Amino acid sequence: MKFRQYKKIVMFLSDIGIVFLLYFLSSLLIHDFRLPGADGNGFYRYVFVISLIYVSVFYFFRLYGSLWTVAGYYDYMNIVLANILSGSIAVFYDLLILDEKLSLPVIIISSGGVLLGTLGNRMFFRIYRRLLYEKKNIKGKNQSRNKNILIVGAGEAAALIIKEIRNHPELSMQIVGLVDDSDYKQYARISGHKVLGKVRDIPEIVGECAVDEILLAIPSASHEERREILEVAKNTPAKLKTLPGVYEMVDKGLNIKSIRDVEISDLLGRKEIHLNNGKISEYIEGKTVLVTGGGGSIGSELSRQIAKLKPKQLIIVDIYENNAYAIENELKRNHPNLTLLVLIASVRDKKKIDWIFKTYRPETVFHAAAHKHVPLMETSPEEAIKNNVFGTLNVSESAHKYEAEKFILISTDKAVNPTNIMGASKRLCEMIVQTMDSTSSKTDYVAVRFGNVLGSNGSVIPLFKEQIRNGGPVTLTHKDIVRYFMTIPEAVQLVLQAGSYAQGGEIFVLDMGEPVKIYDLAENLIRLSGYEPHKEIQIKITGLRPGEKLYEELLMAEEGLESTPNELIFVGRPNGFDKGSLKTTLEKLEVDIHDERISGDQLKEIIHEIVPTYKPDIRKESHSVI
């Protein structure tokens, strides 16, 4: 028999013993130390019945099934209610059934005593288990030192996480105290632990208390508030941990597994995103939605968020089967009722794209398929044009032919005054979208332009993390280089919202917040990984790569800027170009590339003629020959 079954039996028998003892002592006290009844046998039978009443009611209230080592408010309220009901039944039994009555004071005193006794009985198990935990902790200290934890925030989340830490002594976490900026909480105690000061005092407390980890336990804090706290904490040698935000806690609850490492995205401090989900649902819910590049970082997140909006069917198109397979399995697992179709196809394949549109007739199209690695595209410029430009042309023409309602191109800030072929190709994609919109009466064509997303395939963050894991150095191309950053879920949320504002021909621009200096980003990432930059992990400057800019722009000067109902989404007015000749120019370019008539440098010069804002970096040693 397991320990838990033994504990139930012991608790059951001890409850019977408590009832018998309290009624026995109360009767002696009230009746001058004589048991009621001629020989006392009637009293024993009475108490036996009362004991059965109590344990039966306790069983009904599941008092023998609760885990009293982690009991809470509702468990103890159940004890009180069970005792009230048992006492009431005892009074009823005494008044209506027994021939020889016990006095009312005996029942009242006994009932009160049983309540205290059964509460104490369960508290004993809790205290006993805690003493065992403490004993294990003391033994553990001889083998390894506990991690000293400083908790930021002295609210309900802190109290809950303190309870979780106490219930998991095997984690060897020792809470040294808390900090909170509330004046009235200063030097108060939360679950037995003292509030030692405010956020500004963290560096001093870390030094005095030898803090190993700082845990941010304010789920309701805004991104800006979290960033300000972490900016103070990151300059200490302690490792940073955090609880998830309040919305994630609502979905998943709070436990010891909720604690995670602080990510670089936690330090960005972006504005909260407020979406009009009703507007988004209008063009997603009940529609057939197509996502090209649906296995990539942006495309897969689009697919995840679209799946929640109840589309009639979600079609994912991707050329890379591993990514497509991964997102297919994820969506099937998380959305079993979703009508999902995953197709392996290239956007370069005009006939296959046409067949997909003809067969499934998508009403909303998100075109995320693209080559986006700047240095790779510089050495293979024809691949950027084939995939990005002609892929966009193929998908957009099929959307027009089969009368899709919306076509949304995922663009990039590198399309603004581009210095690399990847950015120039994306600007050319925007021009295709604007041209298609001017000729299509059924389909609204728009582009959404934003900067770098954290954690995307090929972004700087995974590269830095890998370099740190390998012991460094962390390499970046220039000490003054800056970039705009946004998390992938944030970017996709705003893409979906921008699509709801589409009237046709717009270039939507997302507010990327403040630009981030990559050098500072590298230093912060090294600190978050538990190392000291320039001492334990070096930073090496390698020089700008071909086609790379020190800073990116989100808008061309001539495009202007107009607001939308969402403060994080703006509209750039389309600038003028010859839409009539664009199609003819692209047809000739496609023939030249296919017939291998031009070199890589010649291709860049041709793209410059089509996209005048493109300033190619032509290096004879790096160009490809088509």
Side-chain angles (χ1 to χ4, degrees), residues 73-94:
Y73 170 79
Y74 291 104
D75 297 297
Y76 290 112
M77 280 302 300
N78 267 346
I79 297 178
V80 175
L81 293 174
N83 273 276
I84 292 173
L85 180 58
S86 300
S88 301
I89 295 174
V91 172
F92 176 80
Y93 176 70
D94 182 70

Side-chain angles (χ1 to χ4, degrees), residues 273 275 280 283-284 291 298-299 301-302 305-306 309 364-368 406-411 446-451 453 486-502 508-510 512 566 568-569:
I273 294 178
L275 300 177
I280 296 173
Y283 77 102
I284 299 293
V291 180
I298 297 295
E301 183 62 25
L302 271 168
Q305 295 194 26
I306 290 168
L309 297 171
T364 302
V365 180
F366 291 91
H367 181 47
K406 287 184 186 288
F407 179 98
I408 300 160
L409 168 72
I410 305 302
S411 190
V446 297
V448 183
R449 186 188 288 167
F450 53 90
V453 286
M486 180 181 282
T487 66
I488 296 174
E490 283 177 329
V492 168
Q493 285 175 337
L494 293 176
V495 166
L496 291 172
Q497 188 71 81
S500 71
Y501 301 145
F508 290 100
V509 180
L510 305 187
M512 298 294 294
N566 190 304
L568 297 178
I569 303 173

Side-chain angles (χ1 to χ4, degrees), residues 43-78:
F43 170 79
Y44 291 121
R45 286 194 297 272
Y46 169 81
V47 174
F48 176 73
V49 173
I50 293 297
S51 299
L52 290 180
I53 290 172
Y54 267 92
V55 294
S56 298
V57 173
F58 286 3
Y59 183 82
F60 176 77
F61 275 81
R62 299 182 179 180
L63 298 189
Y64 299 113
S66 297
L67 293 172
W68 293 103
T69 52
V70 291
Y73 170 79
Y74 291 104
D75 297 297
Y76 290 112
M77 280 302 300
N78 267 346

Side-chain angles (χ1 to χ4, degrees), residues 204-246:
E204 183 180 352
I205 295 170
V206 167
E208 290 180 355
C209 300
V211 172
D212 299 299
E213 292 183 0
I214 299 171
L215 172 59
L216 177 56
I218 315 177
S220 60
S222 67
H223 284 292
E224 181 60 28
E225 289 169 336
R226 292 167 68 87
R227 188 191 67 79
E228 290 175 357
I229 294 169
L230 293 172
E231 280 293 329
V232 175
K234 74 180 178 66
N235 292 316
T236 71
K239 193 166 185 177
L240 304 186
K241 301 278 188 176
T242 186
L243 294 180
V246 65

Side-chain angles (χ1 to χ4, degrees), residues 520-583:
D520 295 341
L521 188 73
E523 289 186 323
N524 287 335
L525 199 56
I526 292 170
R527 290 192 184 97
L528 291 179
S529 302
Y531 300 102
E532 183 67 24
H534 311 295
K535 292 182 180 178
E536 296 174 291
I537 300 289
Q538 298 299 319
I539 298 176
K540 182 180 178 182
I541 307 299
T542 60
L544 289 174
R545 298 172 297 183
E548 189 173 30
K549 291 197 276 187
L550 276 178
Y551 61 93
E552 303 288 1
E553 306 153 89
L554 289 171
L555 197 73
M556 286 184 280
E558 66 270 20
E559 287 179 327
L561 200 64
E562 296 176 1
S563 61
T564 70
N566 190 304
E567 63 176 359
L568 297 178
I569 303 173
F570 299 89
V571 181
R573 291 192 300 271
N575 58 348
F577 60 90
D578 188 355
K579 295 182 176 69
S581 64
L582 181 62
K583 182 67 183 298

